[in-house]
Amino acid sequence: MSQSKLPIDILKNEFGYVSFRRGQEPVIDAILRGDDVIGVMPTGAGKSLCYQIPAILSKSTTVVISPLISLMKDQVDALVQNDISAVSINSTMEWDDVVSTFNLVAEGKVKLLYIAPERFNNKSFLRFFHSIKVELLVIDEAHCVSQWGHDFRPAYLNIAPVIASLSKRPVVAAFTATATPEVQEDIKIRLGLISPLIIATGFDRENLFFQVEHPDIKIDFLLNYVKKHRSHSGIIYCSTRKNVEEVCSKICRTGISAVRYHAGLSDEERKSNQEAFISDEVGIIVATNAFGMGIDKSNVRYVIHYNMPPNMDAYYQEAGRAGRDGLPADCILLFGAKDITTARYFISQIENTDIKKADYKKLRVMLNYCHSEKCLRASILSYFGEEVEKENCGSCGNCKSEAELVDITESAKKILSSVYRMKESSGGRNFGSSILIDVLRGSKKAQIKALGFDKISTWGIMKEESVKSLRRKVDFLISENFLQTEDTEFPVLSFNQKSIDFLNGDSKLVMRQKGEKRIFKDSSLTSEKLPEGTMDEELFEILRSLRKQLSTEEGRPPFFVFSDKSLTAMAIAQPTNRSKFMAMPGVGEVKLEKYGKDFIRVIKSWKENKLY
């Protein structure tokens, strides 16, 4: 790719940032050298700039393959806002508009063309695609090409054959926020990448606070949380449409505005509700996983999972929609036993045996996360193959917990002994946790008697304990690998060497005693404020009102004008001239000319009023 300007010049002048984030510069340099790349960067890390800057420097059109119309629209709008020529072709367009777009691209008037992968099934588009010069082809949300990813999309498999059919092969750049090493290798193979530079900048999002709750009544916990954070914007994920309807209705009854989003709604309502949320007209959206991929809303202060997702890939991508502006945000998962049943049901419907087996294994990882006493951040990073340097991050619910540590050595040995006795009594068979708990509590169910378990020494040995308490201890032993389970629809428990060593040894085992209330109290990141005196909240609210006014006039979401991060910087630095305003993050030359005068005027006026 030929270039006259430097990437850093584009970064400063077009996008308003003074320096690259981690991983951006080597990816950009590799693309400009003509090398294929795979960029694995967490949400909010600036993946888009990695290909938008080379596209601006290129003399031809860059084609970006993106999975959702809403994602394409957001990207195009943001680029046009910065006076960068970008267009998309999608299924909602009239044919005349498609032809006009073809002509603009053919005339060399477009820097970035966004399309869905299904566009490669269209013969007229393929003829057009072969007729234009494409130096860079970008695949966004590249994990969709992998059957081992959580959002597999068959149309992505068409990309490699189309690339191979071109007379001159373009540079191919694939980007995703979440991909294990196995998925990264699958992306490389399925897209036919040639010796790609693989940049994984690390999956850690330090501004996110992770917490798992086991509330007796989920809706009570949820309503208390949203009332406390009513001024914040949040996403609440549910596993079923029914849950979405119920949760959204109960939030609205408290007087807090919320909208719903799931596949059972009309296209019009989904679009209207999504736009209301993105434009800050309503603060909360309650949704299934049908909502979110590519939603470019930077000021989401919390994501709550009302139900446990089936795997860590989905959870981290969905939770990662919080705090895209780099400011503090909460990611809270509300766990309940019914979540396991729902997840197993969905997996049982999968026809492919290998994928089904892999999904049961991923579900076990998710369950271990929900029951772990260890650092939640470390659990997430380890799953994605990242080496964990600290066992205590100091900023997750487990690491900040003040819950009492209880010695469960005796209880653990009773549980493990019962697993052993049940297997011994039944001639080598293993059983699931429900039957184990029945035996420990001395159940007189017909099944227990038929198996002869009412005659073994561990029957009724823990009859004073509740089902909930026993299940938590069993789940803890599984998560800590004292028991192992088969990755099937109805998993059974079995021993491993760690179980035997523990039973035969004298080591102690402790577990946090979690109560019904949130024991870490206000340690979540959204409860933390900037140091006293660094930011004036009154000025921040005034700037936010101005942003809303300008965005409404333009018919755009507020963050298209400036992000919360930009407004926070302004409320701290209080710039009153063009050069100081230009130094604010997210203020490039275009936005300086478009909005600088209004914001500087408001800041000046506020400062002058403060003097009197």
Side-chain angles (χ1 to χ4, degrees), residues 64-193:
V64 183
I65 297 172
S66 182
L68 293 175
I69 293 174
S70 59
L71 174 55
M72 288 189 259
K73 181 180 183 300
D74 286 347
Q75 293 273 350
V76 169
D77 286 350
L79 289 164
V80 171
Q81 180 84 337
N82 283 327
D83 285 351
I84 298 165
S85 57
V87 295
S88 67
I89 296 176
N90 62 67
S91 58
T92 67
M93 295 171 64
E94 298 291 337
W95 177 244
D96 288 348
D97 293 329
V98 173
V99 171
S100 297
T101 303
F102 280 174
N103 291 335
L104 285 173
V105 175
E107 292 166 7
K109 295 179 179 178
V110 172
K111 285 293 185 182
L112 293 108
L113 168 64
Y114 286 77
I115 62 168
E118 287 80 6
R119 189 58 49 180
F120 285 152
N121 294 329
N122 184 294
K123 290 182 180 179
S124 63
F125 179 80
L126 280 175
R127 285 195 297 271
F128 165 74
F129 186 70
H130 281 83
S131 72
I132 62 173
K133 182 181 179 183
V134 178
E135 290 186 353
L136 174 60
L137 180 67
V138 177
I139 297 96
D140 202 6
E141 308 290 351
H143 62 274
C144 293
V145 79
S146 173
Q147 291 190 49
W148 308 116
H150 59 288
D151 281 318
F152 173 59
R153 187 153 167 170
Y156 270 68
L157 298 177
N158 298 330
I159 298 172
V162 171
I163 294 172
S165 71
L166 296 172
S167 56
K168 184 179 179 183
R169 185 184 184 279
V171 175
V172 182
F175 295 93
T176 180
T178 52
T180 61
E182 292 79 11
V183 172
Q184 292 173 33
E185 182 64 21
D186 210 23
I187 289 171
K188 173 184 172 182
I189 293 169
R190 291 181 180 273
L191 291 178
L193 303 184

Side-chain angles (χ1 to χ4, degrees), residues 368 374 408 412-413 415-416 419 473-485 493-503 507-510:
N368 288 349
K374 296 178 180 176
I408 64 162
K413 289 193 173 183
I415 293 168
L416 294 175
V419 173
K473 287 175 181 175
V474 171
D475 287 333
F476 173 72
L477 291 173
I478 294 169
S479 70
E480 297 298 316
N481 201 33
F482 287 97
L483 282 172
Q484 61 187 45
T485 65
L493 304 174
S494 59
F495 265 28
N496 55 33
Q497 192 58 47
K498 190 173 182 179
S499 324
I500 297 167
D501 292 343
F502 178 71
L503 273 175
S507 59
K508 298 290 184 183
L509 184 62
V510 296

